[in-house]
Amino acid sequence: MTQKNIKSISSKKQFLTIRLSAIWSSLFLFFSQSAVAYADANAKDASNYILNDWIAPIFGVVVVYLVIKEFLNSKWIQGFAILFFGGIIYAVIKDPTGILNSLSNLKSYFGL
């Protein structure tokens, strides 16, 4: 085997390891929280339940995966941009009323 083939195999193994660990941890988190999630489903509104307990964590895992992927490819600016905008979108998904209240209070904060 040549040196290039060994590096290629090593890189593929690292990428596969990262991908499998991300999948494993998300599945573990899902199954560890699933009983609690079903118990809380009756106490919450359906839209808040879906956004907070399903969409936001899945979106967070996708953002983290994309950031790691960009960092591994040495695309630092794209990685930080995905992290920044993904964080903003995650905050809006997780607590939309809090974000809207903060935006409505900006006028009084600046004295306008």
Side-chain angles (χ1 to χ4, degrees), residues 36-37 39-50 52-53 94:
V36 175
D40 288 342
N42 294 330
K44 295 180 181 178
D45 293 328
S47 62
N48 287 338
Y49 171 71
I50 291 170
N52 291 337
D53 295 343
K94 192 72 174 166

Side-chain angles (χ1 to χ4, degrees), residues 7 19 21 53-54 59 64 76 80 83 88 90 100 110:
K7 286 183 181 179
R19 182 178 278 177
S21 64
D53 295 343
W54 289 95
F59 182 78
V64 169
W76 298 98
F80 284 121
L83 185 63
I88 291 172
Y90 178 81
L100 292 174
F110 288 113

Side-chain angles (χ1 to χ4, degrees), residues 43-111:
K44 295 180 181 178
D45 293 328
S47 62
N48 287 338
Y49 171 71
I50 291 170
L51 282 175
N52 291 337
D53 295 343
W54 289 95
I55 303 296
I58 292 170
F59 182 78
V61 169
V62 169
V63 167
V64 169
Y65 169 75
L66 291 174
V67 168
I68 290 172
K69 180 180 162 188
E70 294 298 325
F71 283 165
L72 286 177
N73 290 333
S74 297
K75 296 180 180 177
W76 298 98
I77 295 174
Q78 289 92 338
F80 284 121
I82 292 171
L83 185 63
F84 178 74
F85 291 113
I88 291 172
I89 294 170
Y90 178 81
V92 170
I93 291 172
K94 192 72 174 166
D95 187 20
T97 57
I99 298 295
L100 292 174
N101 288 338
S102 298
L103 290 176
S104 67
N105 292 333
L106 279 178
K107 216 174 181 182
S108 64
Y109 180 75
F110 288 113

